[in-house]
Amino acid sequence: MERGVRTQDWSLIATCTRGLEEVLRGELQALGHPDATSGRGMVRFRGGMEAVYSANLQLRTGMRVLREIEEGPAASRDELYELASSVAWEEVFSKGLTFAVESAGRGTAFPNSSFASLVVKDAIADRLRARWGVRPDVDRGSPGLVVHVHLARDRAGLALDSSGEPLSHRGYRPMGGPAPLSETLAAGILLLAGYDGSRPLVDPMAGTGTIAIEAALIATRTPPGGRRRFACERWPQHDFAVLQAVRERWSSAHRSAPSAVVAGDRDPKAIAATTRNAQAAGISTALVAVVREVRDLELPGEGAMIVSNPPYGERLGNPRELSTLYRELGDVLKRRGAGATAWLLVGNPALVKAVGLRASRRIVLFNGPIECRLLRYDLYQGERSKSPDERTVPR
Ligand SMILES: C[S@@+](CC[C@H](N)C(=O)[O-])C[C@H]1O[C@@H](n2cnc3c(N)ncnc32)[C@H](O)[C@@H]1O
């Protein structure tokens, strides 16, 4: 059994939404993993319990932190069973710990991924019964250990989930809104935009306030996972003193927000939700929430950033009303946005035309299954409004 954090040098994976891999890699490098390497929807790095705690507490764009256990052939039921049986689970589990197996990806022999979970569950239980004389109990509701199976054609990877609930569940947003953005995507947008808290920021269509709250967390250097627990606290290698030391190190970095963070929305219910969520996140003093129409946009200071996720039709609004709203948004950016930089996450390219401004950068991001564009607009003094036939759809 591995003991002592210094002897642990595991292969770790942080997963993320597609499009945020490089931002996540940058976060891991800043956490002391210069050799972190990115793949599709994930970044690989190395470390032990201390690295696992730091990543869970501190990553803003990571969805889960996994410890890789084994990888190998899985072209049939027997091969996957062999692979899972070859792992020394007795060194990973402790007696009495319940577990669950989750599978994702596509395996040629496993059109139904829950069959793969069943095979791995049997292999683990059979091995532990052979060693210990008792089978560990499966608990799908609140398992002590979650084993992840990643199927990729004829191969499979086995890993332990150290996070439990996805890291996007920061614990500050008990109440949903009509179309809330995931916390990790909101943080990713801000980091892609280069936001570090030093410039004033406004989200004029804030909904439940996710972008503004994530901005306030960045501005105050508050660890996003500081208010929740992680699955790795049930691992046999869990070391409370190391976790406490990691928590204290990060909380000592806390500061007051150096610049204003403003959340606006036309809907008083949205602003009430933003206020409650900001309180739950512990950053209410760093954020101002106001009921305001987007056409009345006010910049919160010199060199402001406007970052927003306007409605785009998949979940909210009808196309004609939305195109009027985007026209209004473009007009107010021209009239009142001079000197600011705007970043808009838009899921419907047809609506982008109505903004009537030329984007200087376009980044593809996924909001769940919806392919979106994050568009950057540099708003100069005297920005010229384009005629309708000049309004082009960005690619
Ligand atoms: C897609 S939601 C924003 C979701 C938000 N990012 C979140 O995480 O909850 C768009 C928001 O724009 C607001 N909105 C729509 N039209 C507006 C207008 N003319 N002025 C201000 N807010 C508006 C809606 O009330 C809604 O809350």
Side-chain angles (χ1 to χ4, degrees):
M1 162 104 52
E2 287 152 299
R3 293 206 185 278
V5 285
R6 277 189 196 81
T7 60
Q8 298 160 345
D9 180 32
W10 303 322
S11 173
L12 302 170
I13 285 179
T15 62
C16 65
T17 303
R18 273 188 293 153
L20 292 181
E21 293 91 342
E22 286 312 307
V23 179
L24 177 59
R25 192 165 76 93
E27 284 200 85
L28 280 160
Q29 287 176 325
L31 286 184
H33 303 285
D35 300 330
T37 52
S38 53
R40 192 179 152 95
M42 59 94 148
V43 178
R44 198 173 258 116
F45 61 111
R46 298 197 70 84
M49 281 316 288
E50 189 174 346
V52 169
Y53 296 140
S54 279
N56 275 300
L57 273 166
Q58 198 64 14
L59 289 179
R60 298 186 190 279
T61 56
M63 282 299 274
R64 288 180 185 284
V65 179
L66 307 174
R67 173 185 156 198
E68 288 192 291
I69 296 288
E70 192 54 280
E71 197 276 335
S76 65
R77 185 236 169 243
D78 289 353
E79 266 192 357
L80 180 61
Y81 184 90
E82 258 319 289
L83 178 71
S85 302
S86 72
V87 173
W89 294 108
E90 59 281 4
E91 292 177 11
V92 173
F93 278 64
S94 54
K95 280 185 190 162
L97 198 65
T98 60
F99 79 111
V101 182
E102 288 176 359
S103 299
R106 289 212 189 126
T108 29
F110 301 96
N112 173 358
S113 69
S114 55
F115 177 48
S117 302
L118 206 64
V119 172
V120 171
K121 184 208 75 163
D122 284 345
I124 294 172
D126 291 350
R127 176 164 178 137
L128 290 177
R129 189 183 47 192
R131 305 281 144 132
W132 289 344
V134 281
R135 285 170 76 95
D137 285 331
V138 171
D139 178 350
R140 286 203 192 81
S142 174
L145 211 63
V146 177
V147 177
H148 262 269
V149 183
H150 183 74
L151 301 162
R153 287 196 281 268
D154 287 349
R155 300 188 71 82
L158 305 177
L160 295 181
D161 176 12
S162 74
S163 305
E165 289 277 302
L167 297 178
S168 54
H169 296 189
R170 315 278 205 227
Y172 66 70
R173 197 171 60 178
M175 40 192 327
L181 201 59
S182 115
E183 294 82 342
T184 42
L185 182 55
I189 290 169
L190 289 161
L191 296 178
L192 278 169
Y195 179 74
D196 62 4
S198 58
R199 292 170 67 181
L201 179 136
V202 56
D203 177 355
M205 285 175 276
T208 56
T210 321
I211 292 174
I213 293 170
E214 290 295 320
L217 290 171
I218 293 172
T220 54
R221 299 193 174 142
T222 305
R227 294 184 168 245
R228 51 162 284 172
R229 312 286 305 262
F230 307 107
C232 58
E233 292 174 54
R234 297 192 205 155
W235 288 6
Q237 297 88 353
H238 172 51
D239 187 328
F240 183 72
V242 175
L243 175 58
Q244 273 309 97
V246 171
R247 277 188 190 279
E248 274 157 30
R249 187 179 338 131
W250 292 119
S251 27
S252 66
H254 187 272
R255 65 173 184 181
S256 304
S259 287
V261 178
V262 180
D265 202 288
R266 75 189 317 179
D267 179 358
K269 283 201 202 108
I271 290 305
T274 295
T275 306
R276 274 191 293 262
N277 293 344
Q279 271 158 4
I283 47 78
S284 54
T285 55
L287 185 152
V288 176
V290 285
V291 177
R292 186 183 285 153
E293 281 285 337
V294 70
R295 63 171 169 267
D296 300 325
L297 174 76
E298 282 178 21
L299 294 184
E302 282 285 302
M305 294 173 75
I306 302 160
V307 183
S308 202
N309 154 226
Y312 43 72
E314 294 280 347
R315 289 183 281 180
L316 288 176
N318 81 50
R320 202 165 300 154
E321 278 173 24
L322 284 173
S323 126
T324 308
L325 175 66
Y326 277 66
R327 194 168 291 273
E328 204 171 83
L329 175 60
D331 290 345
V332 77
L333 292 179
K334 288 167 214 153
R335 276 189 293 110
R336 296 180 160 225
T341 313
W343 293 80
L344 303 180
L345 182 75
V346 182
N348 179 346
L351 289 169
V352 176
K353 275 198 279 183
V355 175
L357 287 165
R358 205 177 302 281
S360 62
R361 227 182 131 190
R362 300 169 185 100
I363 301 170
V364 175
L365 288 174
F366 284 82
N367 184 8
I370 307 167
E371 185 178 315
C372 298
R373 297 282 182 285
L374 177 63
L375 302 161
R376 171 184 167 144
Y377 298 98
D378 301 298
L379 306 167
Y380 303 107
Q381 205 76 46
E383 179 70 46
R384 187 172 64 96
S385 179
K386 283 190 245 162
S387 65
D389 51 7
E390 274 185 286
R391 297 178 180 209
T392 50
V393 183
R395 297 256 124 233

